[in-house]
Amino acid sequence: MKKFSYPLLLLTAAMMFSGTAWGAEEVVTDSGTTSWMLTSTALVLLMVPGLAMFYGGLVRTKNVIGTMMHSFAAMVIIGVLWPTLGYALSFGPGILGGFIGWDSKYFLLQGIDDTIMTTQIPEYVFAMFQGKFAIITPALIAGAFAERVNFKGYAVFIALWSIIVYSPICHWVWAADGFLFNLGAMGAIDFAGGTVVHISSGVTALVAALYLGARRGYPRNVMHPNNLVMTLMGAGLLWVGWFGFNAGSAIASNLATARALTVTQMAAAAGAFTWMMIEMFQHGKATSLGVASGILAGLVAITPAAGVVQPVGALALGALAAVFCYLAIMLKNKIGYDDSLDAFGIHGVGGIVGALALTFFIRPSWMADAAAKVGGSWTVWQQLGVQATAVGVTIAYAAIVSLILLFVIEKTIGLRISEDEEMSGLDHSMHGEQGYGLINLN
């Protein structure tokens, strides 16, 4: 089983042979692992209101409810779609030449009621854990077009995007028969979602920001955050939840879990520290928004690497992500496109940095297993080629399909709100509410 040395991929390989199927011995539930996975599932769900707070604090007062609703809408819409179709499309056996998965027993989860997986957890737990990834991914995209999108159009977009973009990429990377899962010696490394979650959402965010255009008045008018205290609290919740995101992706409670948790902590701290130092040297003061951005940059970069790098790699990836994400945001400001809350600058760029740079910090035992798998040698440069292929495929597919979806929805339902609606704010125009009960809104 050396092929599946990083635990999440081991799990997906075992999924098709779970329970007592194929004459296997009966698998019993491990209460320790199941307890940790239940906790991890809750931690990842906690990230969604954390994201709502993070994004909600960054927009203007008149848009705080509308922006936070984007995250909660993802919890609701994908919360229904995932057990209905998403799990089957992502983790079912490949169909259509491996483009997507499907297994009728996963439809509405009706065929897994008694299934205990070979990792000794109920399959329900794994399905719900993965469902939280499917929820937060489209919610991340909303940061790119905050303050200017129609709620109905957004709801339709994330529903279709989840099925047509997220599920195929998830199948390619994490399903046992996915082509990226089987590329090279031991597959493209994506322990917890560098390509599946962050690159796919980040690239889509960039496409959406460019397609929909800038907010009215941007960049001429300064658009200050309404509540950086809430943004900091959101960043803190995301950091806490990320332990479930990464350490939970071990689908175990063992050494691999401890490794993933440790490097997650270190990368987040390194990212925040590096961003803080950049601001101190460049501007003479460290900002709360900079610290929050650095935390996220480090967390995003370590996500694909959490199962294969050691602590020194975590520090390096966190620092590298902070530098590249900072530069990406500076470039955005210079070019002038309006990625409102830097969804691409943090998640897209951080995901790309993590997915590629992890190659240079893989622990020796993983490389030895890869070499043994191919019956000879396996070099860093060969693995870098595998990683680059996965990144390239994800970017191309997410960008092209997302652009088509944006065009169709804009021309039918409508996605960009009118000038009057934008001036009055999403809270009033989309929801008939006010976040703070204020009259003079910014």
Side-chain angles (χ1 to χ4, degrees):
M1 294 297 291
K2 289 182 179 179
K3 165 69 177 176
F4 309 114
S5 61
Y6 35 116
L8 177 58
L9 303 189
L10 171 60
L11 175 69
T12 57
M15 287 184 61
M16 294 164 59
F17 307 98
S18 57
T20 57
W22 307 99
E25 294 182 3
E26 182 178 359
V27 180
V28 296
T29 301
D30 181 280
S31 59
T33 301
T34 301
S35 296
W36 166 239
M37 291 310 302
L38 290 169
T39 302
S40 295
T41 301
L43 285 170
V44 181
L45 183 62
L46 179 66
M47 295 173 69
V48 186
L51 180 69
M53 293 181 69
F54 184 86
Y55 279 172
L58 291 175
V59 297
R60 289 168 289 177
T61 306
K62 62 185 178 181
N63 295 312
V64 61
I65 291 294
T67 299
M68 296 183 77
M69 277 289 287
H70 290 155
S71 294
F72 281 87
M75 293 174 72
V76 173
I77 294 167
I78 310 305
V80 172
L81 275 177
W82 179 256
T84 304
L85 292 172
Y87 186 62
L89 294 171
S90 299
F91 290 100
I95 61 172
L96 303 178
F99 173 76
I100 196 72
W102 182 255
D103 190 331
S104 59
K105 79 173 185 178
Y106 293 151
F107 176 68
L108 288 170
L109 306 183
Q110 56 189 336
I112 66 171
D113 198 52
D114 299 313
T115 305
I116 307 299
M117 306 184 75
T118 55
T119 49
Q120 296 182 284
I121 64 171
E123 191 165 356
Y124 275 136
V125 177
F126 178 74
M128 290 297 97
F129 177 70
Q130 283 293 332
K132 304 308 177 281
F133 286 68
I135 287 170
I136 199 169
T137 306
L140 294 171
I141 300 169
F145 45 58
E147 302 193 298
R148 61 191 186 277
V149 69
N150 178 285
F151 184 75
K152 183 188 297 184
Y154 166 78
V156 174
F157 174 74
I158 64 169
L160 294 176
W161 190 90
S162 177
I163 294 171
I164 301 173
V165 178
Y166 181 86
S167 291
I169 295 174
C170 182
H171 182 78
W172 302 341
V173 176
W174 284 340
D177 58 352
F179 81 95
L180 292 176
F181 178 86
N182 291 290
L183 190 63
M186 301 219 302
I189 300 171
D190 188 358
F191 189 77
T195 51
V196 178
V197 175
H198 296 292
I199 296 177
S200 68
S201 63
V203 169
T204 300
L206 177 61
V207 171
L210 294 173
Y211 178 78
L212 293 174
R215 290 165 288 180
R216 288 173 173 86
Y218 179 89
R220 183 178 64 257
N221 299 331
V222 178
M223 301 177 182
H224 293 292
N226 81 89
N227 193 335
L228 284 174
V229 173
M230 186 163 71
T231 294
L232 277 175
M233 290 301 298
L237 288 174
L238 286 167
W239 192 339
V240 171
W242 226 289
F243 292 123
F245 202 83
N246 283 359
S249 291
I251 318 296
S253 184
N254 56 19
L255 177 59
T257 315
R259 287 171 170 172
L261 185 144
T262 300
V263 297
T264 299
Q265 168 66 24
M266 295 180 68
F273 177 80
T274 302
W275 202 297
M276 188 166 59
M277 290 299 101
I278 292 172
E279 288 190 330
M280 288 288 289
F281 279 107
Q282 186 168 7
H283 305 296
K285 60 186 69 175
T287 66
S288 60
L289 181 55
V291 170
S293 299
I295 290 169
L296 287 189
L299 289 169
V300 169
I302 199 61
T303 294
V308 297
V309 303
Q310 295 173 303
V312 65
L315 292 175
L317 289 177
L320 284 171
V323 171
F324 278 96
C325 291
Y326 184 89
L327 291 174
I329 293 172
M330 294 302 101
L331 181 62
K332 179 206 77 169
N333 294 335
K334 185 174 182 178
I335 295 174
Y337 72 89
D338 190 12
D339 177 359
S340 306
L341 310 181
D342 295 313
F344 173 73
I346 298 293
H347 297 279
V349 173
I352 292 168
V353 169
L356 295 178
L358 68 82
T359 312
F360 302 100
F361 302 100
I362 299 174
R363 61 171 44 90
S365 60
W366 193 96
M367 293 299 293
D369 287 347
K373 181 67 180 180
V374 296
S377 65
W378 186 254
T379 67
V380 166
W381 302 109
Q382 287 174 298
Q383 187 61 38
L384 180 61
V386 172
Q387 297 301 116
T389 300
V391 169
V393 168
T394 301
I395 291 173
Y397 182 75
I400 294 170
V401 179
S402 296
L403 181 60
I404 294 171
L405 286 176
L406 289 164
F407 177 82
V408 171
I409 293 172
E410 173 65 16
K411 298 302 180 183
T412 53
I413 299 170
L415 195 54
R416 178 69 191 255
I417 58 178
S418 69
E419 183 174 0
D420 288 343
E421 290 172 328
E422 187 172 338
M423 295 306 293
S424 63
L426 297 179
D427 294 5
H428 174 71
S429 62
M430 295 292 108
H431 306 289
E433 298 173 308
Q434 293 178 346
Y436 298 113
L438 302 175
I439 297 176
N440 297 319
L441 303 175
N442 65 351

